[in-house]
Amino acid sequence: MLDNLPRGTICIEDIEMGMMRYVRKVVTDEDIEMFAKVSTDHNPVHLDDSYAQDTIFEGRIAHGMLTAGLVSAVIGEQLPGHGTIYMGQTLKFLAPVRPGDTVTAEVEVIGIDIAKRRVQLDCRCMVDGKKVLVGEATVLAPSRKFD
């Protein structure tokens, strides 16, 4: 994975509006197969070339939640990072991700409530500059006071 900052924690006291982090990953056949195994979602649109050819996608696609998991990776590893607790997430899938696609998952701070340690994040995933997923997350960020 390629990303813009090392893993770790940004405490609520240090989070600023507009802060952004990302991770970039090539989605492989192995990723899709492992996700199917872990999630127990064996929909043939993800795993069977001949089946997927006859769908609206005209070929295999990655699980949408595999793509969404890259957003979770940014939140849990970079912004805010280790110790972050998910409170909610909205997602809208705009286009398929295919095996071999390079996905860039970005997270940007759009709201901060320091007293409640809550952070609102704009979330998006892109392939070749085109948005394939958008949404917002609400998280509980770690604090130097308590952690």
Side-chain angles (χ1 to χ4, degrees):
M1 281 197 228
L2 305 170
D3 53 51
N4 61 334
L5 282 177
R7 308 294 194 249
T9 303
I10 303 173
C11 292
I12 188 72
E13 295 87 357
D14 300 320
I15 293 174
E16 298 174 2
M17 291 293 289
M19 255 185 180
M20 181 195 278
R21 299 291 184 271
Y22 69 88
V23 67
R24 186 173 295 126
K25 181 181 186 342
V26 176
V27 175
T28 66
D29 287 324
E30 183 181 14
D31 294 328
I32 294 168
E33 291 164 12
M34 286 191 304
F35 191 88
K37 185 175 182 177
V38 169
S39 68
T40 71
D41 178 354
H42 298 282
N43 185 327
V45 75
H46 307 302
L47 302 168
D48 183 328
D49 286 314
S50 60
Y51 175 90
Q53 272 309 126
D54 293 332
T55 68
I56 62 170
F57 301 111
E58 299 177 341
R60 287 188 313 112
I61 61 171
H63 300 74
M65 295 310 289
L66 189 160
T67 304
L70 297 176
V71 169
S72 178
V74 178
I75 291 170
E77 292 285 335
Q78 296 183 37
L79 182 61
H82 298 175
T84 300
I85 305 298
Y86 248 109
M87 298 179 73
Q89 174 82 57
T90 63
L91 297 170
K92 184 172 183 179
F93 300 97
L94 304 175
V97 171
R98 299 184 184 280
D101 282 349
T102 300
V103 177
T104 302
E106 296 178 345
V107 171
E108 181 177 356
V109 176
I110 58 172
I112 306 167
D113 183 337
I114 293 174
K116 293 183 179 179
R117 296 173 45 192
R118 291 192 180 152
V119 181
Q120 288 290 124
L121 301 163
D122 181 60
C123 308
R124 55 196 168 265
C125 291
M126 291 159 299
V127 172
D128 295 327
K130 178 182 176 184
K131 289 182 183 176
V132 296
L133 176 152
V134 294
E136 285 189 16
T138 302
V139 301
L140 184 66
S143 170
R144 282 192 296 275
K145 279 185 182 178
F146 303 109
D147 298 332

